[in-house]
Amino acid sequence: MKLTDSYGRQINYLRISVTDRCNYRCFYCMPEHGVCACQHEDLLSYDELIVLAETAVQMGIEKIRITGGEPLVRKGIIEFLARLSAIDGLKHLALSTNGQLLDEMAADLRLAGVQRFNISLDSLRPGRFAQITRGGDLKKVLRGLDRIAEVGFPLPKLNIVAMRGINDDEFLDFVDLTLTRGYSIRFIEYMPTLKEPGWQKRWIAGSEILNKIAANYPLEHVDKGPYAGPANDFRITGAKGTIGFITALSNHFCEQCNRIRVTSTGTAKSCLFSEETIDLRPNLTDGNRLLLRRQLNELVQSKPRCHSVTTGESDHSSFLMSQVGG
Ligand code: SAM
Ligand code: SF4
C-alpha cells in the first residue's frame, strides 16, 4: 500500500520523538537551563507508540526513525526498539542520537534490531564540542562510533549543523572522515527554530560549503535511495562515505519530502515548520486504529507544498527542535 499526499509525493517515512529530554543542551536546539520537560505521564507510552507505528506501517510507512530529545535516555528504550523492529512490513528502523551513550548501549541496540544511526557531531575538537553541546564528551562519542562498528552496525551518518564562526574551520576535517573512516557526513543548514536575534550571522548556505569542498576535492553526485528525502548527496571520487546537504532554508527540496513527524506527546506534524498539528493521543490511548488511520491520512493530505521559512524575516513561530525531533 502506498501513502501519497495531495501533491503526489509518496510518504514512506515516519519520525517519532520518544522524549523531549536530553543529556546535552546544544545551544542551537535548547535553552541553557533546558526546557520544562514533559512529565512522564504526558509522554506517549511505549504501547501507544507501537499502535502508532503498526498503523502507520499498514498504511504505507516503510521507514521509522526514532529521535528526541535524546532517545537513548528514555527508560526501557531497548525493549521498545525490539518491539518496533518486529513489526511486520517495517523495512527500516533508524535512530538519531548524540552518541553519548552509544558505547555502553551499542550491543543491546544491535540485538534490538536497530539498523542504522545518524549521530550528531558538530566538532572534532573536545573543548569546542563541549561548548556547543554544553557539556558533551567528545571522547565518549568517538568511543561509541568505534563500538557500533565492533558490534556489526553499518557505518553511520554524521550530522553537522554548519555554523559560521563556530565550526566552519572544521568542514574539511569532517570531509576527510568520508575518506579515512568511510563515514557519510551531512551538513545541516542552521534553522532558526529558537528565532534568536542575529541568527543570520551564524547561518551558512549549503552551496558555500559545497563550493569550499569542490575547490579541494573532485566530487561526484550520488544517486539517492528511496527513503533519502530532502538531502543532496556527493562523494569525493574514490571515497566510501558520502557528503550530504540539508539545505532547509536556501533550497527547500520540499518537492522530494517523504516524511511526517510525531512528537513524544502525540502531536503529529506534516512539516517541520508547519503550525498546524493533529493530536493523535486520544485515539492512541483508546487503541482506535480506524480513527487513527483517518487522522494519519488527514495529516498526509494536509502536508503543505512547501514551507516558507527563509533567511529573511519569517513569520513562523519559534519551537524547540528537541520536542519535534529534527
Ligand atoms: N538528540 C539527537 C541528536 O542530536 O541527534 C536527536 C534529536 S536532534 C533534535 C535531531 C537533529 O536536529 C540533530 O542532528 C540536530 O543537530 C538537529 N538540530 C537541532 N536543532 C537544530 C537547528 N536549530 N538547526 C539545524 N539542526 C538542528
Ligand atoms: Fe539534545 Fe540532540 Fe538537541 Fe543536542 S540536538 S540538545 S543532543 S536533542
Side-chain angles (χ1 to χ4, degrees):
M1 183 172 180
K2 278 199 162 77
L3 196 53
T4 307
D5 76 4
S6 55
Y7 298 97
R9 294 171 293 200
Q10 191 192 343
I11 308 302
N12 55 14
Y13 179 15
L14 168 64
R15 297 176 65 99
I16 303 177
S17 170
V18 293
T19 178
D20 60 343
R21 290 174 194 250
C22 188
N23 44 358
Y24 285 4
R25 294 281 178 275
C26 301
F27 76 85
Y28 52 75
C29 176
M30 271 198 196
E32 182 155 15
H33 300 293
V35 286
C36 183
C38 300
Q39 296 304 308
H40 184 73
E41 56 272 21
D42 294 334
L43 295 182
L44 292 178
S45 68
Y46 286 136
D47 286 343
E48 288 166 339
L49 288 169
I50 292 291
V51 171
L52 168 66
E54 282 176 351
T55 309
V57 169
Q58 281 161 9
M59 292 176 72
I61 293 294
E62 297 173 338
K63 170 175 172 176
I64 293 181
R65 174 174 301 282
I66 297 303
T67 174
E70 174 49 41
L72 297 185
V73 301
R74 181 159 170 186
K75 218 167 145 214
I77 188 74
I78 299 285
E79 295 75 12
F80 166 65
L81 290 166
R83 288 174 71 190
L84 206 54
S85 69
I87 291 177
D88 202 24
L90 178 62
K91 295 190 183 149
H92 294 270
L93 175 58
L95 190 100
S96 285
T97 172
N98 60 32
Q100 193 75 33
L101 297 171
L102 272 183
D103 187 22
E104 56 231 61
M105 296 177 79
D108 289 339
L109 288 163
R110 181 95 179 129
L111 286 176
V114 172
Q115 289 162 308
R116 285 191 172 271
F117 295 107
N118 280 3
I119 301 171
S120 289
L121 191 62
D122 297 325
S123 175
L124 298 168
R125 303 183 190 177
R128 183 181 284 177
F129 182 81
Q131 267 178 343
I132 295 174
T133 56
R134 299 195 183 106
D137 180 352
L138 179 63
K139 252 198 291 162
K140 259 195 109 185
V141 180
L142 298 180
R143 273 208 307 273
L145 283 171
D146 289 340
R147 188 83 187 108
I148 59 173
E150 280 163 25
V151 302
F153 279 107
L155 290 162
K157 195 171 271 174
L158 305 182
N159 278 338
I160 304 139
V161 178
M163 294 170 284
R164 197 180 306 285
I166 307 276
N167 61 359
D168 51 339
D169 53 348
E170 292 188 64
F171 292 166
L172 293 180
D173 298 341
F174 280 112
V175 164
D176 280 347
L177 295 177
T178 70
L179 289 159
T180 55
R181 302 293 303 252
Y183 297 145
S184 288
I185 64 169
R186 220 159 46 158
F187 292 102
I188 304 179
E189 280 180 358
Y190 182 90
M191 297 177 222
T193 52
L194 301 173
K195 291 188 96 175
E196 63 281 23
W199 64 267
Q200 286 93 340
K201 278 195 275 174
R202 215 174 267 147
W203 184 83
I204 308 180
S207 57
E208 183 180 326
I209 307 170
L210 177 61
N211 288 340
K212 185 170 181 176
I213 302 169
N216 287 273
Y217 293 102
L219 289 180
E220 317 167 340
H221 214 261
V222 177
D223 267 348
K224 303 192 300 177
Y227 308 107
N232 211 355
D233 288 347
F234 298 84
R235 187 193 303 278
I236 296 174
T237 307
K240 196 162 182 188
T242 58
I243 304 169
F245 297 87
I246 302 269
T247 50
L249 267 61
S250 67
N251 190 354
H252 294 161
F253 297 115
C254 293
E255 69 278 5
Q256 294 162 36
C257 188
N258 60 347
R259 61 198 60 190
I260 50 176
R261 296 172 162 82
V262 178
T263 71
S264 55
T265 54
T267 301
K269 272 189 129 182
S270 63
C271 167
L272 184 57
F273 294 103
S274 171
E275 315 228 329
E276 279 170 39
T277 57
I278 297 184
D279 182 12
L280 305 180
R281 179 190 278 283
N283 289 323
L284 288 170
T285 306
D286 292 350
N288 192 333
R289 292 175 191 241
L290 190 67
L291 289 183
L292 184 61
R293 279 179 85 103
R294 268 193 213 154
Q295 281 188 305
L296 289 173
N297 204 28
E298 193 189 320
L299 179 78
V300 166
Q301 297 318 317
S302 73
K303 240 178 116 57
R305 192 179 64 76
C306 208
H307 74 73
S308 58
V309 179
T310 65
T311 51
E313 288 311 315
S314 58
D315 54 5
H316 76 282
S317 305
S318 63
F319 64 95
L320 290 163
M321 197 70 113
S322 54
Q323 270 166 1
V324 186

